[in-house]
């Protein structure tokens, strides 16, 4: 809050008094300060990715032969995916190799390194990669303005957890003079308040309940695991969509437009519909840069199914170097294949709840610590004899029954607002209300934040780890 308050004042002062280059340099340095506050050493990765892709972008203008253009594209892919692969997947592949070789009684001395995963590396890597891929496909022209490009890659509101922006949408905005707009600030503050409410009230409270289930060292009942999956479903959605709302709101106050990242996904009427609503910037990235290049919907039925499954397996792997994420991605891919093949025509009021139940259950492998933990969770879930209320009752009592009931009521009201929004965001939705209702909702959210906002946990955002 302090950082943004100071940045906001200085940013608009520089924007009004100086040229675009000065403003963008200030944005870059401030974004580097923001990221480097966590660990300054990993700034080198952002700088390397930015430098390589900016340079390769310029070289695309100097070569016309398709062979040379492919070499440039491969250089960009190798650099970015090489960095991502080393920091995110090196230990995973080494450990997987050891386990595979042990099946054949082969012991190879392949020790893993203690590699720290840089915050948000998957987000800014995909963002800068989309730039060179779009240039290669001749969808956009490379920029010669190095400061606008570096601002595009490092822009602090969405640097560590998205939304993943495309150069065709965000880059050009750094090449425009901004004019302070009071209405944009109002829109931004509404989104920040709504995002803050989702994060502190919904996500962080349900996070405690979910952690009490999935981090428990005691024997967990099947009923508790299902409840834990529901708790985690609320936590991950409110956590990530709340962060996205705040990022979009902060950007709006600075005169930038970021794309919507969530659209009430739990009200989806099919799995296909769910992926048009959930983490939109990532799902469209995989659609445009993986699924369609693989062939998309073209080709034989088997080929289309292969394209879907591989895309979702890679999407799962993007979330982390763990077999559980591959299982989660594979489950979504398989259901989408079945949905596409069977061409389900069930009434949305029947199929929608089925989709929601399956999405919630699929969060179990996503939340599991590792494969053995997942096996334990699934074993307890499918053994109906373990469906005891005792453990679940203990969890609720430990959390506080009164707090749980209040949280449940607030969550129902929260879902009612989300349902009423339909295709709107919170700012558009509340902007249609009368002034009295708007003021009532603002103060209701603020009082709720103060009353049951969870400030006892260490601040963390689930998607920072990706």
């Amino acid at each position: 809050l302090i950082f943004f308050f100071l940045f906001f004042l200085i940013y608009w002062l520089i924007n009004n008094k100086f040229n675009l280059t000065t403003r963008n340099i200030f944005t870059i340095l401030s974004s580097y300060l923001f990221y480097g506050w966590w660990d300054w050493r990993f700034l080198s990765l952002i700088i390397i990715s930015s430098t390589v892709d900016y340079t390769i972008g310029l070289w695309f203008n100097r070569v016309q032969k398709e062979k040379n253009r492919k070499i440039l594209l491969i250089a960009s892919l190798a650099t970015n995916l090489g960095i991502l692969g080393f920091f995110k997947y090196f230990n995973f592949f080494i450990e997987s190799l050891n386990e595979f070789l042990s099946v054949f009684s082969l012991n190879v001395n392949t020790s893993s390194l203690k590699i720290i995963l840089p915050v948000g590396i998957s987000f800014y890597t995909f963002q800068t990669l989309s730039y060179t891929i779009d240039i290669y496909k001749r969808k956009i022209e490379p920029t010669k303005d190095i400061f606008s490009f570096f601002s595009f890659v490092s822009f602090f509101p969405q640097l560590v957890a998205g939304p993943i922006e495309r150069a065709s949408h965000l880059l050009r905005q750094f090449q425009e003079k901004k004019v302070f707009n009071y209405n944009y600030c109002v829109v931004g503050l509404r989104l920040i308040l709504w995002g803050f409410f989702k994060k502190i009230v919904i996500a962080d409270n349900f996070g405690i309940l979910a952690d009490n289930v999935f981090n428990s060292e005691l024997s967990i009942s099947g009923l508790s695991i299902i409840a834990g999956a529901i708790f985690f479903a609320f936590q991950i959605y409110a956590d990530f969509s709340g962060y996205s709302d705040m990022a979009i709101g902060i950007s709006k106050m600075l005169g930038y437009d970021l794309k919507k990242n969530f659209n009430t996904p739990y009200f989806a009427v099919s799995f296909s519909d769910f992926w048009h609503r959930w983490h939109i910037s990532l799902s469209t990235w995989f659609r445009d840069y993986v699924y369609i290049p693989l062939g998309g919907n073209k080709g034989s039925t088997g080929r289309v199914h292969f394209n879907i499954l591989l895309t979702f397996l890679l999407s799962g792997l993007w979330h982390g170097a763990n077999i559980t994420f591959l299982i989660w991605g594979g489950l979504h891919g398989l259901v989408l294949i079945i949905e596409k093949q069977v061409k389900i025509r069930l009434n949305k009021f029947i199929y929608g709840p089925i989709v929601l139940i399956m999405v919630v259950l699929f969060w179990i492998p996503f939340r599991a610590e590792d494969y053995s933990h997942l096996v334990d969770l699934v074993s307890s879930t499918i053994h109906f004899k373990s469906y005891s209320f005792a453990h679940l009752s203990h969890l609720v009592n430990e959390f506080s029954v009164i707090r749980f009931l209040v949280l449940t009521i607030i969550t129902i009201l929260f879902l009612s607002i989300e349902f009423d929004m339909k295709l709107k965001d919170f700012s558009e939705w509340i902007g249609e209300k009368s002034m009295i209702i708007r003021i009532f909702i603002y103060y209701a959210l603020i009082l709720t934040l103060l009353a049951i906002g969870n400030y006892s946990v260490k601040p963390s955002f689930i998607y920072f780890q990706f």
Side-chain angles (χ1 to χ4, degrees):
L1 288 173
I2 295 170
F3 171 85
F4 178 63
F5 177 73
L6 294 174
F7 177 88
F8 181 81
L9 294 177
I10 300 170
Y11 169 87
W12 281 114
L13 178 65
I14 291 176
N15 180 80
N16 294 336
K17 299 292 184 180
F18 299 93
N19 58 25
L20 291 177
T21 298
T22 306
R23 186 198 70 193
N24 287 338
I25 290 174
F26 172 70
T27 301
I28 295 166
L29 294 177
S30 300
S31 296
Y32 284 175
L33 173 65
F34 177 82
Y35 190 86
W37 203 272
W38 167 67
D39 193 323
W40 63 269
R41 294 172 298 174
F42 291 109
L43 279 172
S44 59
L45 302 181
I46 300 175
I47 294 171
I48 290 171
S49 292
S50 302
T51 304
V52 167
D53 285 329
Y54 172 75
T55 305
I56 287 176
L58 293 179
W59 284 349
F60 268 113
N61 271 346
R62 301 177 185 176
V63 298
Q64 295 300 322
K65 290 184 179 179
E66 188 61 24
K67 179 181 177 181
N68 293 335
R69 289 175 63 81
K70 283 184 178 179
I71 290 173
L72 290 175
L73 177 63
I74 291 170
S76 174
L77 291 169
T79 301
N80 288 288
L81 296 180
I83 292 172
L84 180 65
F86 176 75
F87 281 93
K88 194 165 185 175
Y89 303 107
F90 182 81
N91 284 346
F92 172 68
F93 287 120
I94 289 296
E95 290 166 5
S96 298
L97 177 62
N98 278 333
E99 290 178 8
F100 175 75
L101 293 175
S102 66
V103 174
F104 302 96
S105 300
L106 296 174
N107 295 315
V108 180
N109 186 19
T110 54
S111 58
S112 58
L113 303 175
K114 291 183 178 179
I115 299 172
I116 300 173
L117 179 64
V119 168
I121 187 171
S122 295
F123 287 93
Y124 66 75
T125 298
F126 272 29
Q127 185 153 310
T128 188
L129 258 183
S130 69
Y131 171 74
T132 48
I133 296 173
D134 283 351
I135 293 174
Y136 171 75
K137 292 181 175 180
R138 303 183 191 275
K139 290 183 176 180
I140 61 171
E141 289 293 321
T143 182
K144 295 180 181 179
D145 185 348
I146 188 171
F147 298 114
S148 66
F149 181 75
F150 273 58
S151 297
F152 158 72
V153 177
S154 64
F155 190 43
F156 75 89
Q158 46 89 229
L159 171 62
V160 290
I164 302 169
E165 285 289 340
R166 309 288 179 90
S168 58
H169 180 248
L170 183 59
L171 176 56
R172 60 179 175 78
Q173 296 184 49
F174 289 100
Q175 299 165 341
E176 301 168 348
K177 185 73 174 178
K178 300 298 178 186
V179 178
F180 181 81
N181 188 311
Y182 172 79
N183 291 328
Y184 278 11
C185 283
V186 171
V187 170
L189 287 169
R190 287 171 178 168
L191 291 173
I192 292 169
L193 176 60
W194 185 239
F196 201 52
F197 163 78
K198 287 201 279 188
K199 168 62 180 167
I200 302 297
V201 174
I202 305 294
D204 286 350
N205 275 304
F206 276 111
I208 291 178
L209 289 163
D211 288 347
N212 287 344
V213 173
F214 292 106
N215 295 347
S216 175
E217 296 180 358
L218 304 174
S219 178
I220 312 172
S221 71
L223 189 64
S224 295
I225 294 170
I226 291 176
I230 296 170
F231 299 152
F232 182 69
F234 281 116
Q235 180 196 5
I236 192 171
Y237 169 62
D239 187 292
F240 193 21
S241 68
Y243 180 89
S244 294
D245 285 342
M246 287 187 276
I248 294 168
I250 289 170
S251 301
K252 186 69 73 174
M253 294 178 70
L254 301 172
Y256 298 95
D257 175 55
L258 300 186
K259 291 186 176 179
K260 192 173 183 178
N261 210 20
F262 289 87
N263 185 18
T264 57
Y266 291 152
F267 295 114
V269 295
S270 67
F271 269 84
S272 176
D273 187 33
F274 175 80
W275 281 104
H276 282 97
R277 296 165 175 258
W278 178 273
H279 200 174
I280 299 167
S281 64
L282 179 69
S283 60
T284 53
W285 199 99
F286 272 100
R287 179 198 67 195
D288 295 342
Y289 300 115
V290 178
Y291 182 66
I292 292 176
L294 284 172
N297 293 325
K298 298 177 181 178
S300 65
T301 301
R303 178 66 192 189
V304 172
H305 292 173
F306 171 80
N307 295 342
I308 293 172
L309 187 58
L310 180 59
T311 300
F312 273 89
L313 286 172
L314 290 174
S315 175
L317 191 61
W318 176 90
H319 284 83
N322 198 323
I323 189 69
T324 56
F325 291 120
L326 282 172
I327 292 171
W328 172 79
L331 288 170
H332 276 271
L334 287 172
V335 173
L336 273 167
I337 289 170
I338 294 170
E339 195 174 84
K340 191 177 186 69
Q341 187 66 25
V342 177
K343 295 179 181 178
I344 296 173
R345 301 296 182 189
L346 288 175
N347 184 288
K348 66 179 181 180
F349 295 108
I350 298 175
Y351 188 49
I354 295 173
V355 170
L356 178 60
I357 291 169
M358 293 180 72
V359 166
V360 169
L361 291 176
F362 288 173
W363 285 129
I364 294 175
F366 191 98
R367 180 58 181 80
E369 297 296 329
D370 49 38
Y371 181 72
S372 61
H373 185 213
L374 175 60
V375 171
D376 291 340
L377 292 171
V378 173
S379 297
S380 296
T381 305
I382 61 178
H383 283 85
F384 291 98
K385 291 182 180 179
S386 72
Y387 276 63
S388 165
F389 280 93
H391 187 263
L392 183 58
S393 177
H394 172 71
L395 290 174
V396 173
N397 286 326
E398 191 177 25
F399 180 76
S400 166
V401 175
I402 299 297
R403 192 180 184 90
F404 181 76
L405 290 173
V406 172
L407 178 62
T408 301
I409 293 168
I410 290 172
T411 303
I412 292 171
L413 293 172
F414 162 69
L415 292 174
S416 300
I417 292 174
E418 290 258 306
F419 180 77
D420 193 49
M421 282 184 191
K422 296 182 173 66
L423 299 177
K424 304 183 183 85
D425 63 25
F426 178 73
S427 178
E428 294 172 306
W429 177 81
I430 199 171
E432 296 174 349
K433 312 301 178 188
S434 67
M435 182 180 290
I436 294 176
I437 293 177
R438 289 204 304 271
I439 292 173
F440 173 79
I441 294 174
Y442 294 149
Y443 280 97
L445 290 173
I446 292 169
L447 288 173
T448 305
L449 275 163
L450 295 173
I452 72 161
N454 187 359
Y455 303 96
S456 62
V457 296
K458 183 181 178 182
S460 64
F461 290 83
I462 293 174
Y463 269 70
F464 279 18
Q465 65 184 301
F466 305 139

